[in-house]
Amino acid sequence: AIPIEVWVKVFSYLSGPDLFRCEGVCSSWHKEIQFQVKSGKVTRRGLKCERLVTEPQGITEHRRSVWDSISVKADKPVVIVGVGIYAPNGVTTICVDARPVEDNLRPIDVATELDSCHEENGAIMTLFGQPGSKKPFQFVLEADKWWEFMLNIKQQKGSYDPMGGGTIWSGRGIGGKPEVKC
């Protein structure tokens, strides 16, 4: 048998969906992954709260200077360690930030280095902080306080732009829920 210390090292390289599957292997793996997540050693695992359902044949246009945003409020403290988006076309740079909604909004900060994994046959992309990053992608939402999540998708400089103008396309969701329970 392989010692749990070796498995813990393996867990640190897995994506959130893969960690979910590993938790179902046996009770010792489940307990160890839960411990690693709660202690902050594994940051790419969490509950997935879906607000939209993919619209078949639907597309969304993203323009380089436009920030898309959504406001979120939780009824209990929540730690956000990743954001799911509809995967864009082309070679892109994706910037994400979250900040509390308050009178003096802090500037948008996009210095966090993100990693990603594709889900649902490449239609969805989950963004999360890079392992070992000096600036982790992790936001602690206080209960009953509004937060704003902002997203900007733009073409990487020098990449092929068949339509010109730097427009990026992605899938689109429908059936937005005003409230999501996780």
Side-chain angles (χ1 to χ4, degrees):
I2 298 174
I4 194 69
E5 294 80 14
V6 174
W7 286 114
V8 167
K9 187 70 172 170
V10 171
F11 296 153
S12 72
Y13 291 102
L14 297 178
S15 67
D18 290 337
L19 281 169
F20 274 125
R21 286 189 280 281
C22 287
E23 281 185 280
V25 170
C26 65
S27 62
S28 64
W29 281 23
H30 178 81
K31 288 176 190 172
E32 187 58 38
I33 290 170
Q34 289 287 315
F35 171 76
Q36 295 295 317
V37 169
K38 289 176 183 173
S39 65
K41 294 177 183 166
V42 173
T43 59
R44 293 177 311 283
R45 207 263 308 114
L47 295 175
K48 183 177 181 180
C49 299
E50 291 186 25
R51 194 177 82 79
L52 301 174
V53 176
T54 303
E55 177 183 357
Q57 310 304 318
I59 58 171
T60 299
E61 177 182 11
H62 297 279
R63 295 188 182 151
R64 77 180 106 183
S65 60
V66 176
W67 283 84
D68 299 308
S69 68
I70 184 171
S71 295
V72 177
K73 182 168 83 168
D75 62 349
K76 56 185 159 224
V78 175
V79 177
I80 303 290
V81 295
V83 175
I85 66 167
Y86 289 101
N89 70 310
V91 180
T92 59
T93 298
I94 301 171
C95 300
V96 179
D97 192 19
R99 61 185 177 186
V101 176
E102 47 198 17
D103 290 336
N104 295 319
L105 288 174
R106 70 165 172 73
I108 296 173
D109 176 11
V110 294
T112 302
E113 296 175 11
L114 300 175
D115 206 344
S116 64
C117 66
H118 289 273
E119 302 174 49
E120 298 182 24
N121 297 322
I124 304 292
M125 180 182 227
T126 301
L127 305 171
F128 50 87
Q130 287 185 347
S133 175
K134 293 179 180 167
K135 189 170 186 190
F137 181 86
Q138 185 169 333
F139 301 97
V140 179
L141 278 60
E142 299 167 16
D144 298 318
K145 186 171 187 174
W146 284 99
W147 277 68
E148 175 182 42
F149 284 81
M150 292 127 335
L151 169 74
N152 178 260
I153 302 172
K154 60 186 172 188
Q155 229 170 12
Q156 283 188 359
K157 290 180 181 176
S159 66
Y160 177 64
D161 185 2
M163 298 184 70
T167 299
I168 301 295
W169 302 91
S170 71
R172 180 172 61 207
I174 58 173
K177 301 173 191 170
E179 182 177 340
V180 178
K181 299 221 182 248
C182 297

